Amino acid sequence: VFEVVLPAAAAPAPPVAAASSAATPLPSAAEAVEAAEATAPQQQRHVLYIEDNPVNALIVRQMVATLPGYRLTVAEDGASGIAAALREPPDLVLLDMQLPDMDGFAVLSRLREQPRTAALPVVAVSANVMPEQVQRGLAAGLADYWTKPLDMNTFLLKLRALLPLEATAANG
């Protein structure tokens, strides 16, 4: 499992007051960290990409890296993807439909069987653009079906629409 963690934007430091006869003590390091965390987003949006092709994983990793507030974890096959989702449920699963150990429908079914992952939005990311395959995926409960090759602008727009950062701050 590979993981990319993007740094959150740092909160601006509080202004330092001019010295006066009744000087205010400076906050401790713990207080400063607590104040910064209170103004920063509570967490990043976590995307799990289950993809066996390292080139496809790299492309998505680089696209997600352009979005502050999002982090990507990559699992190389269905079994490790299911394990990663159960260990740390993501906000969204991007799922290749043709994996070496099982197909995407089997992964989706196993995710739906587990209480921790039953309600996760799962989006197919597949080169199979046959209309019957897309319909089958949507009928099986996929949130969407994105086709490869991925267009960067479309990918980023859809990702932000599915996982807006504002929802993280409100739910944090």
Side-chain angles (χ1 to χ4, degrees):
V1 177
F2 298 95
E3 185 172 325
V4 174
V5 178
L6 300 175
V16 177
S20 68
S21 59
T24 308
L26 292 174
S28 70
E31 291 169 334
V33 168
E34 184 177 325
E37 287 176 355
T39 59
Q42 295 298 312
Q43 63 183 5
Q44 292 185 318
R45 302 298 276 179
H46 178 202
V47 178
L48 171 63
Y49 186 25
I50 305 174
E51 170 63 72
D52 62 311
N53 183 310
V55 173
N56 291 338
L58 177 63
I59 290 168
V60 169
R61 184 177 295 115
Q62 291 180 341
M63 287 193 291
V64 172
T66 67
L67 294 176
Y70 293 81
R71 71 182 174 98
L72 181 73
T73 302
V74 177
E76 297 176 350
D77 57 41
S80 63
I82 293 165
L86 289 171
R87 187 172 49 253
E88 182 188 359
D91 297 303
L92 174 69
V93 175
L94 299 178
L95 176 61
D96 181 23
M97 297 304 286
Q98 296 178 350
L99 298 163
D101 58 343
M102 63 183 83
D103 70 13
F105 292 104
V107 173
L108 179 64
S109 176
R110 291 190 187 166
L111 290 173
R112 295 294 182 243
E113 291 169 358
Q114 300 296 320
R116 290 191 75 185
T117 57
L120 283 178
V122 178
V123 172
V125 179
S126 180
N128 188 340
V129 296
M130 298 301 294
E132 26 324 311
Q133 181 78 357
V134 175
Q135 282 305 108
R136 180 179 171 213
L138 296 173
L142 291 170
D144 205 350
Y145 198 106
W146 302 348
T147 58
K148 297 175 189 172
L150 295 169
D151 173 77
M152 182 172 177
N153 290 331
T154 302
F155 174 86
L156 296 176
L157 285 171
K158 288 182 174 185
L159 182 61
R160 285 187 296 223
L162 277 171
L163 292 179
L165 289 177
E166 297 77 35
T168 300
N171 295 334

